[in-house]
Amino acid sequence: MLSNKLDKTLQEMTVLITGASRGIGADIALRFASVGMNVIIHYLHSHEMANDVARRCMELGANVLTVSADLRQRADILKMKEKLDLHQLKPDILVNNAGISHYSMVADVDEDKWDEVMAVNLKSVFLCSQLFMPYMISQRFGRIINVSSIWGISGGSCEAVYSAAKGGVNAFTKALAKELAPSGVTVNAVAPGAVKTDMMERFGEEELKMLADEIPLGRLADPEEIASLVYFLALPESSYITGQIISPNGGWHT
């Protein structure tokens, strides 16, 4: 018998995915939509792309809402929450996926860029978790899943700022998991290795081939593979997994 099992079917649950207009976030939205859940697609500027993901989710039978918010601002997240409340949508599952990459030597990073990367990648995880976890606590069931990066574990040359932000996400995940465990809410992070998304666009074809050659499985991950792991961590059956940083990386940097 599962502990802290909520008396809801998956189809009755609601998931909020931040940064879901493209890349890994879009595939996560589609994975949840495939079982008919209520799917909330957050985006910042990519209105048309978010609507396209929403249409694809609805074709799979999901109830879908798109919301725009600047996750660096608490006031914006509060407005987003108010919109969800108006639609009587309270997330049982929060996927903190929104993020930006940054590639440069530490010597070339200015303070504004540091603040921006930290705000989008780390502060947003704190703010969204803080504002949406009270409902999960009240029903003694919830899932917070943070999308991190392998660089948050091992650090990436010329990606020190991004690595620091994702390392912060990993530490926050472990600490919050301990706080929320007595309330039946699990908190985990998925820290992918190299994934075929637009974050990899700065690499040329030859560079991508060299990167794939470094990975024991010999290829980059598909976004769908990351989405499947996020989905698994959201299931009631994963109720004994919390405080974990799980890195699907094809055997790279293990």
Side-chain angles (χ1 to χ4, degrees):
M1 182 177 178
L2 296 174
S3 300
N4 298 315
K5 186 172 182 180
L6 184 64
D7 189 22
K8 278 185 185 178
T9 65
L10 275 177
Q11 290 73 23
E12 293 170 322
M13 290 189 189
T14 297
V15 58
L16 165 60
I17 306 120
T18 67
S21 64
R22 60 185 178 182
I24 292 172
D27 277 283
I28 292 170
L30 290 164
R31 184 66 187 89
F32 283 107
S34 70
V35 294
M37 291 180 62
N38 300 314
V39 178
I40 303 161
I41 295 168
H42 159 268
Y43 66 99
L44 180 54
H45 299 302
S46 308
H47 179 74
E48 289 185 10
M49 294 173 71
N51 281 345
D52 179 62
V53 176
R55 281 191 293 270
R56 292 162 65 194
C57 287
M58 286 186 282
E59 288 170 2
L60 293 170
N63 178 35
V64 184
L65 181 70
T66 59
V67 287
S68 176
D70 183 347
L71 301 183
R72 297 170 295 182
Q73 307 294 332
R74 182 183 177 87
D76 248 38
I77 302 173
L78 280 169
K79 288 179 185 176
M80 176 172 71
K81 186 176 181 299
E82 287 169 6
K83 181 176 180 179
L84 300 190
D85 289 342
L86 283 174
H87 287 266
Q88 297 184 316
L89 291 170
K90 295 183 182 296
D92 305 286
I93 302 156
L94 169 63
V95 181
N96 287 309
N97 169 74
I100 56 172
S101 61
H102 180 67
Y103 190 81
S104 73
M105 301 286 285
V106 169
D108 299 325
V109 180
D110 61 39
E111 191 174 354
D112 287 343
K113 178 56 68 174
W114 170 275
D115 289 345
E116 180 189 14
V117 174
M118 288 296 164
V120 176
N121 289 290
L122 179 55
K123 182 183 177 184
S124 68
V125 173
F126 154 65
L127 289 174
C128 287
S129 298
Q130 187 183 57
L131 288 172
F132 288 105
M133 69 188 193
Y135 172 69
M136 300 180 194
I137 293 169
S138 72
Q139 68 175 0
R140 298 193 59 79
F141 179 93
R143 300 284 184 263
I144 297 175
I145 303 159
N146 302 319
V147 178
S148 179
S149 166
I150 193 170
W151 296 143
I153 300 170
S154 62
S157 175
C158 296
E159 295 190 72
V161 182
Y162 179 77
S163 298
K166 292 301 189 179
V169 169
N170 293 346
F172 180 78
T173 297
K174 292 179 180 182
L176 185 61
K178 292 174 181 176
E179 286 189 25
L180 297 186
S183 302
V185 179
T186 66
V187 187
N188 293 289
V190 172
V195 186
K196 286 185 278 188
T197 68
D198 55 10
M199 276 193 177
M200 305 300 292
E201 285 179 352
R202 69 173 180 270
F203 295 104
E205 190 173 328
E206 187 61 30
E207 289 175 305
L208 288 173
K209 184 180 182 305
M210 289 172 62
L211 177 58
D213 287 343
E214 289 180 17
I215 300 169
L217 280 181
R219 64 177 178 84
L220 277 62
D222 290 317
E224 296 94 331
E225 293 175 297
I226 311 305
S228 292
L229 177 55
V230 171
Y231 174 75
F232 169 74
L233 291 171
L235 292 173
E237 291 85 345
S238 67
S239 59
Y240 204 62
I241 303 171
T242 196
Q244 301 304 303
I245 315 300
I246 303 172
S247 183
N249 57 49
W252 188 44
H253 287 287
T254 55

